[in-house]
């Protein structure tokens, strides 16, 4: 498999080409963003999703805005566009961190004391570097994950949630990157992928990536994990993350928290694959993480009921009474005491070790 085929983000100088994840697995189509507003749409409507990929897309949205401006704007206009991009998906910390780093490097003083063309050039270079760095960090993270499993080829069964592969990042993946590395090391893998309601990223995206890679897998419903761990040997649960608080609490796609509880009950290690960009030392615990609420229709509508001839029973895809109210949080928070360890580019880190391993990062964030 050519890994280039699984890259979701390509910068083409005057436009951003995004693999439209709303279309997978039905077809592979590209969404072309030529303006900041189009990148905001892509982030908000989940053309692109996954915390690292969202951050990269947001940075290129800033670059597109700068390239589309004919004359040097006021710096406040730049701050306004970064604020709008930040508000497009509030839970994942990567986007906020990337925009903060952008402003730390490309300051108001730099903006005002240099030619506008140089500022735009440096902004583009920064965005490209973040994309390339994400891929490098994911590869390092994935290799570190090998230390948690036997060194000699073995049969390994892994349960994962949501999508944490190339599609969610710059092009390699976090939790799914670990799975790829295990396969490349010669292990005989079986992966169980949660469908991940309500937006079905596991069913639509993770299974697609696993099939593309030729990794044996089963799709399961989100409520199957208890049965699965009772009926079959599961060696580990590996998931990704959108934000980690200073105490190790971690926000990820809704359904992660109950999965961690089930894993704890069955004595199955629960690992979170996370690059350092996901750690937010400005918040003390998961209680401080904002949880994005999405449309009720993502819960109440879905086309799958068929007549005997294969035609849909519910043409509109409605699976719940029209009057019903639905709660649709995109994320939940897994307490640190349910997390065995974080798999990072710096190594394997237990929740109690976060402050020690990432002390320099905590100081850097405090200075921003």
């Amino acid at each position: 498999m050519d890994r280039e085929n699984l890259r979701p983000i390509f910068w083409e100088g005057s436009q951003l080409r995004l693999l439209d994840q709303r279309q997978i697995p039905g077809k592979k189509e590209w969404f072309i963003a030529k303006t900041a507003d189009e990148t905001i749409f892509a982030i908000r409507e989940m053309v692109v999703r996954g915390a690292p990929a969202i951050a990269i897309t947001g940075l290129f949205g800033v670059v597109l805005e700068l390239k589309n401006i004919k004359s040097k704007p006021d710096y406040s206009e730049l701050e306004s566009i970064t604020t709008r991009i930040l508000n497009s998906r509030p839970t994942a910390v990567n986007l906020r961190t990337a925009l903060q780093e952008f402003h730390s490097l490309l300051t108001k003083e730099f903006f005002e004391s240099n030619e506008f063309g140089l500022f735009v050039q440096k902004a583009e270079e920064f965005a490209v570097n973040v994309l390339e760095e994400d891929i490098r960090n994911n590869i390092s993270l994935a290799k570190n994950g090998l230390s948690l499993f036997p060194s000699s080829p073995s049969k390994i069964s892994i349960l994962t949630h949501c999508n944490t592969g190339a599609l969610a990042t710059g092009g390699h993946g976090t939790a799914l990157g670990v799975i790829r590395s295990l396969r490349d090391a010669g292990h005989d893998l079986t992966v169980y992928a949660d469908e991940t309601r309500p937006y079905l990223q596991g069913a639509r995206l993770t299974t697609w990536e696993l099939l593309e890679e030729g990794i044996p897998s089963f799709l399961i419903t989100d409520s199957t994990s208890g049965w699965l761990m009772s009926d079959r040997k599961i060696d580990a649960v590996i998931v990704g993350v959108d934000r980690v608080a200073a105490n190790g609490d971690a926000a990820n796609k809704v359904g992660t928290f109950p999965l961690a509880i089930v894993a704890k009950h069955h004595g199955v290690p629960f690992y979170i694959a996370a690059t350092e960009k996901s750690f937010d030392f400005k918040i003390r615990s998961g209680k401080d993480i904002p949880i994005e609420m999405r449309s009720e229709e993502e819960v109440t509508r879905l086309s799958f009921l068929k007549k005997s001839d294969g035609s849909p029973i519910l043409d509109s895809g409605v699976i719940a009474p029209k009057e019903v109210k639905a709660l649709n949080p995109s994320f939940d928070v897994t307490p640190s005491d349910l997390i065995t360890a974080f798999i990072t580019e710096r190594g394997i880190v237990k929740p109690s070790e976060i402050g020690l391993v990432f002390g320099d990062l905590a100081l850097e964030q405090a200075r921003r």
Side-chain angles (χ1 to χ4, degrees):
M1 162 53 65
D2 181 1
R3 296 287 170 80
E4 197 79 355
N5 289 337
L6 287 176
R7 279 190 60 183
I9 303 172
F10 288 90
W11 173 244
E12 298 176 336
S14 60
Q15 64 183 27
L16 188 65
R17 183 158 56 97
L18 302 169
L19 185 58
D20 191 341
Q21 298 184 36
R22 301 170 303 174
Q23 307 290 339
I24 296 173
K27 51 188 173 180
K28 187 175 181 179
E29 287 193 352
W30 296 92
F31 178 93
I32 305 300
K34 296 183 178 181
T35 67
D37 284 337
E38 287 170 347
T39 62
I40 290 171
F41 173 88
I43 293 169
R44 187 180 62 245
E45 299 302 321
M46 300 181 84
V47 171
V48 62
R49 27 73 46 210
I54 288 170
I56 294 163
T57 300
L59 286 176
F60 281 115
V62 177
V63 175
L64 286 170
E65 179 76 4
L66 293 172
K67 287 200 166 193
N68 288 329
I69 295 173
K70 301 302 181 184
S71 58
K72 189 171 183 176
D74 186 83
Y75 193 77
S76 62
E77 295 178 54
L78 176 60
E79 292 176 319
S80 175
I81 188 61
T82 57
T83 298
R84 289 203 296 120
I85 290 172
L86 177 61
N87 290 337
S88 60
R89 293 296 301 275
T91 299
V93 72
N94 301 59
L95 178 57
R96 191 192 74 186
T97 299
L99 293 173
Q100 286 178 338
E101 290 178 354
F102 175 89
H103 282 296
S104 295
L105 179 67
L106 299 169
T107 62
K108 184 177 181 181
E109 290 73 23
F110 182 88
F111 178 81
E112 293 177 344
S113 61
N114 288 278
E115 292 290 332
F116 183 53
L118 177 62
F119 186 88
V120 176
Q121 175 189 329
K122 293 299 183 182
E124 182 175 4
E125 290 174 358
F126 176 76
V128 171
N129 287 338
V130 169
L131 170 58
E132 294 174 349
E133 179 189 40
D134 181 68
I135 296 173
R136 289 195 303 270
N137 288 344
N138 287 337
I139 292 172
S140 297
L141 176 160
K143 289 181 179 178
N144 288 336
L146 293 176
S147 66
L148 297 169
F149 299 90
S151 56
S152 58
S154 308
K155 283 192 173 184
I156 297 175
S157 294
I158 293 174
L159 173 57
T160 192
H161 187 69
C162 198
N163 175 260
T164 57
L167 297 176
T169 63
H172 185 74
T174 54
L176 205 51
V178 175
I179 290 169
R180 285 194 177 97
S181 291
L182 286 167
R183 187 276 309 275
D184 293 343
H187 293 289
D188 181 6
L189 290 181
T190 300
V191 179
Y192 297 90
D194 278 348
E195 61 181 348
T196 318
R197 285 283 287 147
Y199 211 72
L200 301 175
Q201 288 106 314
R204 296 187 302 105
L205 307 178
T206 298
T207 57
W208 182 79
E209 285 201 47
L210 290 167
L211 287 169
E212 289 284 298
E213 291 277 8
I215 299 174
S217 62
F218 292 92
L219 174 65
I220 61 172
T221 64
D222 291 0
S223 54
T224 301
S225 60
W227 173 88
L228 183 68
M229 292 185 204
S230 296
D231 185 76
R232 305 186 184 189
K233 176 174 169 51
I234 301 299
D235 294 288
V237 176
I238 310 178
V239 301
V241 72
D242 286 81
R243 184 178 297 200
V244 183
N247 72 338
D249 294 349
N252 192 47
K253 181 67 180 181
V254 68
T256 304
F257 178 22
L259 180 58
I261 294 173
V262 174
K264 183 86 168 183
H265 177 79
H266 288 91
V268 175
F270 187 90
Y271 300 119
I272 291 181
T275 67
E276 64 178 42
K277 302 288 187 182
S278 297
F279 289 84
D280 186 357
F281 291 94
K282 290 188 175 182
I283 55 173
R284 298 181 62 182
S285 74
K287 293 180 180 179
D288 302 316
I289 299 176
I291 299 299
E292 175 191 356
M293 299 296 290
R294 292 185 60 82
S295 166
E296 295 182 15
E297 289 189 350
E298 291 178 2
V299 176
T300 62
R301 301 172 71 91
L302 186 68
S303 296
F304 70 93
L305 297 173
K306 305 288 185 180
K307 298 177 183 177
S308 59
D309 62 0
S311 61
I313 291 175
L314 300 172
D315 290 333
S316 63
V318 175
I319 58 171
K322 291 182 179 180
E323 299 81 8
V324 72
K325 293 185 179 296
L327 280 174
N328 185 18
S330 284
F331 306 91
D332 57 23
V333 175
T334 301
S336 61
D337 61 356
L338 295 177
I339 300 167
T340 306
F342 293 92
I343 306 172
T344 79
E345 69 268 44
R346 299 193 184 190
I348 307 304
V349 182
K350 294 180 180 179
S352 60
E353 299 170 339
I354 288 175
L356 178 65
V357 175
F358 292 102
D360 59 326
L361 182 62
L363 291 173
E364 180 184 336
Q365 289 183 4
R367 287 194 295 265
R368 289 180 193 149

